[in-house]
C-alpha cells in the first residue's frame, strides 16, 4: 500500500511534516517532485517485484514548498520469497546537489567565456596530448576537435623557432610557472604567421607538472606593420643622410638631435 509505518524524528524535521502525516496512505508518492514522481515510483515497484535492494536519488516537496534532494537506500524484506515490507534510509543530499548544480553552471559559463574569446586557448599534458582546444585554435590550424583532443600536434615552424620552443618549456617550473613565447608557424599554403603565447604550467600537490595551459594570438598583422615602419624609417634615414642640402632636427630648446653630412659640411663641424 506504500504506507509508512515508521519515520524518525529527523525525517519529520527535514520535510516539516509530522509522523502522522507521513503515515497517511499515498504520502510518499504525492510528495515526490512532479518530475520524479512517475519514474521513482515505477523504479521502486520494479526493484521490489524482483526482491532487489535498491538505491536512487529523487526530490521531495517539503511543507514550506522548498525542494529537497534525497538518496534513498532501500532494503526489501521478504517472507517465503514474497516482498512484505521495505526498510530504508533517506539521506538529505540537497546541499550536495546544489553544489553540483552551481559547479555545472560555472562550468557552462566558463565554457561560454572561453569559446567567445578571440584568443586561441588550449591545454595539454606534458607528453603533448591535447586535453582542450577552443574554436579559435581549431579554426586557425584548420583542425577539428576530434583531430586534436587526445592526440599530439606540433605545427610546422622554422627549425630555430622549434628549438627555442623546446627550451622555453624546460624553463617553466614551480618558481617560474608563467612565460611568454613568440614564434612563427608555417601554414599549409606556405604562409608564415607570427604567434604570441602566454603559457602556464599547472602542478599537482607534489609539485609535478601535470598540464600546460596556453593563450595565444596571431601577431602577423602587427609584425608586418612593424616591418613596414622599420623599412619606412630606413628609407627616410637614407634620404636624410644622402640629401644634397643641409638638414637638421632639433628639440624645442634648440638642441640638435640629428644632422646630416651636408649640414656638417656647410657649418664645418
Amino acid at each position: 500500500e506504500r504506507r509508512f509505518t515508521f519515520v524518525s524524528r529527523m525525517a519529520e524535521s527535514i520535510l516539516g511534516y509530522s509522523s502522522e502525516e507521513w503515515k497517511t496512505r499515498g504520502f510518499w508518492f504525492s510528495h515526490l517532485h512532479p518530475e520524479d514522481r512517475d519514474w521513482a515510483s515505477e523504479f521502486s515497484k520494479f526493484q521490489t517485484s524482483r526482491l532487489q535492494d535498491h538505491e536512487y536519488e529523487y526530490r521531495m516537496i517539503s511543507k514550506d514548498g522548498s525542494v529537497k534532494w534525497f538518496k534513498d537506500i532501500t532494503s526489501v524484506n521478504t517472507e517465503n520469497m514474497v516482498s512484505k515490507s521495505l526498510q530504508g534510509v533517506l539521506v538529505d543530499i540537497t546541499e550536495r546537489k546544489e553544489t553540483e548544480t552551481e559547479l555545472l553552471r560555472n562550468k557552462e559559463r566558463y565554457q561560454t567565456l572561453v569559446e567567445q574569446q578571440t584568443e586561441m586557448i588550449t591545454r595539454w599534458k606534458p607528453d603533448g596530448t591535447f586535453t582542450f582546444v577552443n574554436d579559435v585554435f581549431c579554426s586557425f590550424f584548420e583542425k577539428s576537435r576530434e583531430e586534436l583532443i587526445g592526440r599530439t600536434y606540433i605545427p610546422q615552424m622554422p627549425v630555430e623557432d622549434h628549438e627555442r620552443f623546446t627550451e622555453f618549456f624546460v624553463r617553466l617550473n614551480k618558481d617560474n610557472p608563467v612565460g611568454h613565447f613568440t614564434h612563427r608557424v608555417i601554414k599549409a599554403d606556405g604562409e608564415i604567421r607570427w604567434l604570441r603565447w602566454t603559457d602556464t604550467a599547472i602542478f599537482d600537490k607534489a609539485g609535478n607538472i601535470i598540464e600546460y595551459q596556453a593563450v595565444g594570438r596571431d601577431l602577423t598583422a602587427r609584425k608586418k606593420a612593424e616591418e613596414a615602419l622599420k623599412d619606412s624609417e630606413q628609407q627616410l634615414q637614407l634620404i636624410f643622410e644622402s640629401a644634397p642640402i643641409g638638414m637638421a632636427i632639433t628639440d624645442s630648446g634648440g638642441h640638435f638631435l640629428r644632422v646630416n653630412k651636408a649640414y656638417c659640411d656647410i657649418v664645418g663641424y
Side-chain angles (χ1 to χ4, degrees):
E1 296 179 345
R2 297 285 167 175
R3 188 198 301 270
F4 284 98
T5 58
F6 167 81
V7 292
S8 68
R9 285 179 294 176
M10 183 59 72
E12 294 181 52
S13 64
I14 291 176
L15 287 180
Y17 298 101
S18 67
S19 61
E20 287 73 23
E21 290 175 294
W22 273 82
K23 293 174 183 178
T24 57
R25 186 173 182 176
F27 175 87
W28 180 75
F29 180 82
S30 62
H31 288 84
L32 285 171
H33 189 282
E35 294 178 6
D36 298 336
R37 191 171 293 155
D38 291 335
W39 76 260
S41 178
E42 290 303 317
F43 174 79
S44 181
K45 286 180 181 178
F46 177 71
Q47 295 298 333
T48 302
S49 69
R50 299 174 62 211
L51 308 182
Q52 292 288 322
D53 296 344
H54 47 283
E55 296 183 12
Y56 51 136
E57 297 178 1
Y58 54 78
R59 292 161 290 180
M60 293 187 73
I61 308 300
S62 64
K63 197 162 189 174
D64 63 8
S66 61
V67 176
K68 298 288 186 180
W69 274 96
F70 290 99
K71 181 182 182 71
D72 191 331
I73 305 170
T74 300
S75 299
V76 180
N77 299 319
T78 64
E79 184 178 320
N80 298 324
M81 297 303 292
V82 176
S83 59
K84 288 296 183 180
S85 64
L86 303 178
Q87 182 173 329
V89 177
L90 291 178
V91 182
D92 184 0
I93 59 171
T94 305
E95 185 175 348
R96 191 198 84 190
K97 282 292 186 178
E98 290 175 347
T99 300
E100 290 175 353
T101 301
E102 185 59 29
L103 285 173
L104 180 60
R105 288 173 183 162
N106 288 339
K107 182 179 180 180
E108 291 172 346
R109 285 195 290 264
Y110 173 77
Q111 186 74 17
T112 300
L113 178 64
V114 166
E115 292 300 348
Q116 288 177 343
Q117 295 300 306
T118 56
E119 290 86 2
M120 290 175 278
I121 301 176
T122 180
R123 290 173 71 112
W124 71 96
K125 297 179 181 178
D127 64 1
T129 302
F130 282 98
T131 58
F132 173 81
V133 289
N134 70 346
D135 287 342
V136 182
F137 186 93
C138 293
S139 177
F140 181 87
F141 288 106
E142 299 176 349
K143 298 281 186 180
S144 67
R145 275 191 171 87
E146 291 72 23
E147 292 177 292
L148 295 170
I149 300 299
R151 305 183 182 185
T152 60
Y153 169 69
I154 298 178
Q156 187 178 359
M157 61 180 76
V159 176
E160 58 270 26
D161 287 13
H162 191 277
E163 292 174 350
R164 289 191 304 107
F165 180 82
T166 304
E167 294 170 358
F168 168 77
F169 283 99
V170 172
R171 293 195 298 269
L172 293 182
N173 53 53
K174 203 160 188 178
D175 297 323
N176 180 43
V178 181
H180 304 281
F181 184 71
T182 302
H183 68 95
R184 293 161 292 176
V185 295
I186 304 172
K187 300 293 289 290
D189 59 3
E191 180 188 12
I192 295 179
R193 310 283 292 186
W194 283 89
L195 301 180
R196 173 72 169 175
W197 298 93
T198 298
D199 295 277
T200 304
I202 302 170
F203 304 86
D204 60 16
K205 292 181 180 179
N208 302 309
I209 296 177
I210 56 173
E211 206 168 10
Y212 294 97
Q213 177 169 295
V215 178
R217 63 172 53 198
D218 186 355
L219 292 184
T220 307
R222 195 180 86 180
K223 281 288 185 180
K224 288 182 178 180
E226 290 174 352
E227 291 173 0
L229 179 60
K230 184 178 180 180
D231 290 342
S232 177
E233 288 177 342
Q234 289 175 342
Q235 292 174 2
L236 289 173
Q237 179 68 13
L238 180 62
I239 293 172
F240 182 85
E241 292 295 344
S242 61
I245 58 174
M247 300 177 68
I249 298 174
T250 66
D251 62 18
S252 58
H255 300 99
F256 285 95
L257 302 177
R258 183 180 295 180
V259 293
N260 69 350
K261 185 176 183 302
Y263 190 94
C264 295
D265 291 343
I266 291 171
V267 298
Y269 294 105

